[in-house]
Amino acid sequence: MQNYLTQNSFGRMISKFSASFFLAAIVGVLAGCSGGSDTPTADASATPASGTGTGTGTTAVLGGTTTSGTTQTITGTAATGNPLAGAAVTIQDSDGKTATGTTGADGSFSISVTGGKPPFMLVAVPSAGVNLYSVLPAMDMAATNTQNVNITTITTLVIYELSGGDPATMFKTLSFSTLTRSAVAAKEVTVRTKLQAVPAVNLLNPVFDTMTGKFVAAAGDVYDDALASLGTITAMNSTSVTLSGAALPTYAGATGGGATGATTAG
């Protein structure tokens, strides 16, 4: 009987020792796996979240320099017979990206459109009066170059014709599908035809491009004299454009309809 109790007690001691040894071994293994550091390691299988940031992707602003080092710039003159000084100019590409600038005392401006996608639509917002519009239908975006684009009463009438009487909505909604080189040229002819009653307009050289031809916003320049005869645009709706010049107080409405009321910028 005593031998049995002795063996039983010894067995229980062995069992306790084995359990303690096993537990200590487990703790040692876990401690070894930690590598002695409290810093968690990255999960190589995790998929990074997608998103946009300032370092990658497309921003809503034109300008800067492309990866190839090329730059593209639009220059021009905003005028209505007088320079449109201090006007805020916004250029918008067909993707809705914009670039802005301000005209100088002579109505001139120079704005980078690097990284943009033609056609480009332009709006000049004067300190008072109706906004003026223009367009550059095409531009070589693969090479460094500068293109001249005017923003005048006549260019606004061309956009008025292209938009069916509502340049502001065309600008706001990016409805640029009609702003092709051939369409712009055709509507310029339409505008010149409607302005035949203005003698100063008839003095313009037929090959002079009123949209992109360079001129000086001062008396004595043939284009500026034509603008002075037309005067400023005082109102615009789908049926007509009202001009302050006595030579042609009302410009007949564009075809295609459009919202009525004074035109404002986008």
Side-chain angles (χ1 to χ4, degrees):
M1 180 66 177
Q2 185 178 359
N3 185 46
Y4 171 80
L5 291 175
T6 300
Q7 291 179 352
N8 191 41
S9 297
F10 182 76
R12 286 198 298 271
M13 290 174 64
I14 292 297
S15 297
K16 289 181 179 180
F17 177 80
S18 298
S20 298
F21 180 82
F22 180 77
L23 180 61
I26 291 298
V27 171
V29 170
L30 293 177
C33 289
S34 67
S37 173
D38 293 329
T39 303
T41 57
D43 182 0
S45 65
T47 302
S50 60
T52 58
T54 57
T56 59
T58 301
T59 66
V61 180
L62 298 171
T65 305
T66 61
T67 55
S68 61
T70 62
T71 59
Q72 295 80 37
T73 304
I74 291 179
T75 61
T77 300
T80 59
N82 291 305
L84 205 63
V89 177
T90 298
I91 301 176
Q92 183 169 227
D93 77 349
S94 58
D95 285 335
K97 292 178 290 185
T98 60
T100 59
T102 304
T103 58
D106 59 353
S108 64
F109 61 90
S110 178
I111 301 173
S112 173
V113 293
T114 302
K117 180 182 177 182
F120 296 99
M121 190 170 176
L122 297 78
V123 58
V125 182
S127 57
V130 174
N131 299 338
L132 300 180
Y133 294 87
S134 192
V135 62
L136 180 63
M139 187 176 191
D140 184 359
M141 304 306 291
T144 294
N145 69 104
T146 299
Q147 294 290 326
N148 189 80
V149 183
N150 301 317
I151 310 177
T152 68
T153 306
I154 290 178
T155 67
T156 302
L157 293 176
V158 172
I159 297 297
Y160 176 76
E161 292 284 349
L162 287 163
S163 66
D166 194 2
T169 296
M170 172 179 275
F171 187 88
K172 291 177 182 178
T173 60
L174 295 174
S175 304
F176 293 179
S177 60
T178 60
L179 301 182
T180 63
R181 194 193 302 269
S182 59
V184 172
K187 290 303 183 183
E188 187 195 16
V189 172
T190 298
V191 170
R192 286 200 185 208
T193 300
K194 289 186 177 183
L195 295 179
Q196 284 181 344
V198 183
V201 174
N202 289 328
L203 293 177
L204 285 171
N205 190 319
V207 301
F208 177 79
D209 189 335
T210 60
M211 305 298 290
T212 63
K214 293 184 178 181
F215 75 104
V216 178
D221 183 283
V222 178
Y223 188 22
D224 194 69
D225 288 346
L227 296 174
S229 294
L230 293 174
T232 60
I233 296 175
T234 59
M236 182 187 300
N237 55 52
S238 62
T239 59
S240 65
V241 178
T242 303
L243 301 166
S244 64
L248 186 71
T250 303
Y251 179 90
T255 59
T260 60
T263 298
T264 56

